[in-house]
Amino acid sequence: MITSASFDHLRVTLLAAHDFIRDAVLKARNDSSNDALSAVVEVTAADTIYAIDKISEEAITRWFAENWPKDEPVELVMEGLDDRAPLTF
């Protein structure tokens, strides 16, 4: 059962994920031309994947793998991941 305190802890944890993902995208933006981030890098049955999508997806999965509490499993559902197995951390 999620208590108020554990809910607050998860909320703060997710805010840290937001910061990590934002920083990864901003770094990529600063390191690349604007055209590079909007380039199509893959087309799947589910989605057209742009360079910026790959950057954010890598940041999301890396952050969850490294930081999400092991006692609070979470499954990620993201556009473009339909062809892969569900990501559970």
Side-chain angles (χ1 to χ4, degrees):
M1 176 178 192
I2 295 181
T3 65
S4 179
S6 63
F7 180 80
D8 283 342
H9 173 64
L10 292 176
R11 183 183 60 78
V12 169
T13 301
L14 284 173
L15 289 173
H18 167 270
D19 292 342
F20 183 83
I21 297 159
R22 180 203 58 220
D23 292 346
V25 170
L26 290 175
K27 180 182 182 322
R29 184 186 70 183
N30 293 335
D31 292 347
S32 304
S33 69
N34 288 337
D35 293 342
L37 297 180
S38 62
V40 174
V41 294
E42 184 179 353
V43 177
T44 69
D47 197 10
T48 299
I49 311 297
Y50 297 90
I52 194 71
D53 297 328
K54 290 287 190 182
I55 292 162
S56 59
E57 288 171 4
E58 192 281 328
I60 291 167
T61 55
R62 185 169 139 215
W63 186 90
F64 272 91
E66 294 174 0
N67 298 284
W68 190 254
K70 304 298 184 229
D71 61 335
E72 293 291 343
V74 64
E75 184 173 332
L76 294 184
V77 178
M78 295 189 301
E79 188 176 39
L81 296 181
D82 298 11
D83 296 338
R84 298 182 233 161
L87 294 176
T88 304
F89 300 94

